[in-house]
Amino acid sequence: MKAITLPATRPGSRILGTGAYRPERVVSNAEICELIDSSDEWIRERSGIIERRYAAADESVTDMAMEASGKALASAGVAATDIDTVLVATITHPYQTPSASAELADRLGTHKAAALDVAAACAGFCYALAQADALVRAGSSTYVLVVGVEKLTDIVDFTDRGTSFIFADGAGAVVVGPADQPGIGPVVWGSDGAQKDAITMTQSWAQYRRAPADKWPALTMQGQAVYRWAVGEMADVCRRTVAAAGLTLDDLDVFVPHQANMRITDSLLRQLSLPDHVVVSRDIATTGNTSAASVPLALDALVSSGQARSGAIALLVGFGAGLAYAAQVVTLP
Ligand code: UT7
């Protein structure tokens, strides 16, 4: 009988380099409050956000992904021509098809790399990172570019006081390659579609097409329900993720939760009682919530500023619309 041959598997993969792109335009809480009934004080207190970045009107998801990817490739010391797979986590690439990843793979100058978009909202980057790790370990890919990018300002209703102050734009990227020892731990992930309405669109594009006089589809969120889910369930996800990697919470050096709300980060810290030496990302203060871009942006900020050292053990956790979540422990480049 004929048998299928598989490539040689590898003992592990790791993040080789990180990169980020933060759009030029800084938007203050005062500017946000020009369109909603709110205040700088309320936004800071309830979300921890002081300011955020908005992309320019003509700046696309792939433009931002290009910038972050170029930096990640340079910091990894990997040429674009060596990238064989491009994974882009995003919910705001404004074309149903073709994918942002296929466009990015071409614009970067890869040799026609495999390309796939991942739509898992704020958990998207951690979902894509898990795929990259699996592809490299299975021998299906050697170097994978993983990007989290959003232009949420394209789908935010600036007059909705439940969402307008939170969401923002940006891109973060990492390059994943082979390693002698695992540098990316097992993913712990899942979803709860029964809560799909907690973060959704006001209507579908098909509905809008039938009644074009309607307001265009915009992001809408039941903030309290999402908040309760995140603080109620993500601490356990974090514990399970660290255990799955064969580690304890005391082994962690760095904690990079999705930058959803500073109060969610604080709640997770209280529940997990992380040791004092753990460096915790608080990137949301100046970046806002950038959904799929938030974890790689936050990670890059800690790595590039030297706040997190090379070789440090970091716990990443993404959570949001779906409701979906994904988490893994990684060794920093
Ligand atoms: O990234 C995807 C995952 N997303 C998240 O994890 C977000 C999770 N949710 C949150 O972060 C929070 O729910 C928000 C920051 C969105 C809202 O904070 P909250 O503390 O849950 O506010 P709330 O909706 O419970 O509203 C509290 C009060 C209400 O007034 P009353 O009824 O107490 O008088 C609201 O009407 O604050 C009022 N309010 C506002 N006030 C000023 C709601 N939005 C605003 C606003 N400015 N923008």
Side-chain angles (χ1 to χ4, degrees):
M1 231 188 33
K2 291 192 177 166
I4 293 171
T5 305
L6 293 175
T9 58
R10 300 189 176 101
S13 79
R14 67 186 181 98
I15 296 176
L16 301 171
T18 68
Y21 175 70
R22 294 166 195 272
E24 209 177 305
R25 187 166 164 235
V26 177
V27 176
S28 67
N29 288 340
E31 186 176 338
I32 297 287
C33 294
E34 286 170 14
L35 292 177
I36 57 169
D37 176 17
S38 189
S39 65
D40 174 47
E41 191 191 5
W42 190 95
I43 296 171
R44 284 182 195 231
E45 197 182 300
R46 291 297 180 126
S47 70
I49 299 170
I50 298 167
E51 61 189 28
R52 73 286 289 145
R53 303 288 183 114
Y54 280 7
D58 62 353
E59 201 166 32
S60 73
V61 159
T62 38
D63 290 339
M64 291 193 282
M66 278 290 288
E67 296 288 334
S69 300
K71 289 179 185 153
L73 288 166
S75 88
V78 171
T81 47
D82 288 329
I83 295 290
D84 51 46
T85 306
V86 175
L87 302 177
V88 175
T90 186
I91 54 162
T92 48
H93 177 54
Y95 293 83
Q96 224 86 46
T97 195
S99 64
S101 48
E103 185 186 339
L104 180 65
D106 178 57
R107 284 177 63 182
L108 282 170
T110 69
H111 285 320
K112 303 190 189 303
L116 170 74
D117 286 2
V118 176
C122 306
F125 176 80
C126 294
Y127 265 79
L129 187 62
Q131 299 301 322
D133 168 53
L135 289 168
V136 171
R137 282 190 292 109
S140 307
S141 298
T142 302
Y143 293 107
V144 183
L145 176 66
V146 184
V147 183
V149 54
E150 301 290 7
K151 189 176 180 182
L152 287 158
T153 50
D154 270 351
I155 60 167
V156 161
D157 176 354
F158 297 111
T159 65
D160 174 13
R161 78 205 283 251
T163 54
S164 72
F165 64 95
I166 297 182
F167 295 113
D169 304 331
V174 302
V175 175
V176 174
D180 294 337
Q181 288 186 343
I184 299 178
V187 66
V188 171
W189 52 4
S191 71
D192 181 7
Q195 296 196 65
K196 68 179 172 51
D197 293 333
I199 308 179
T200 182
M201 303 299 290
T202 48
Q203 63 173 334
S204 74
W205 284 107
Q207 288 167 321
Y208 179 64
R209 183 185 183 189
R210 285 193 284 275
D214 279 11
K215 237 178 164 182
W216 46 270
L219 205 55
T220 175
M221 178 169 74
Q222 295 165 18
Q224 276 197 15
V226 182
Y227 188 95
R228 275 198 300 273
W229 170 76
V231 302
E233 307 214 2
M234 290 309 111
D236 183 53
V237 168
C238 289
R239 285 190 199 95
R240 286 193 282 130
T241 305
V242 171
L247 300 169
T248 68
L249 291 169
D250 286 340
D251 295 319
L252 293 179
D253 301 307
V254 179
F255 181 40
V256 186
H258 167 44
Q259 301 294 292
N261 182 323
M262 198 77 89
R263 290 189 295 135
I264 294 177
T265 299
D266 287 334
S267 169
L268 294 178
L269 284 175
R270 276 194 302 275
Q271 293 181 63
L272 294 171
S273 308
L274 292 182
D276 289 344
H277 70 261
V278 174
V279 176
V280 179
S281 174
R282 296 190 176 278
D283 195 44
I284 192 171
T286 52
T287 308
N289 178 337
T290 56
S291 191
S294 103
V295 168
L297 273 170
L299 184 64
D300 178 81
L302 295 181
V303 169
S304 60
S305 66
Q307 283 173 272
R309 64 175 171 79
S310 173
I313 302 283
L315 171 61
L316 316 180
V317 57
F319 50 86
L323 295 174
Y325 65 87
Q328 59 266 99
V329 173
V330 303
T331 305
L332 296 185

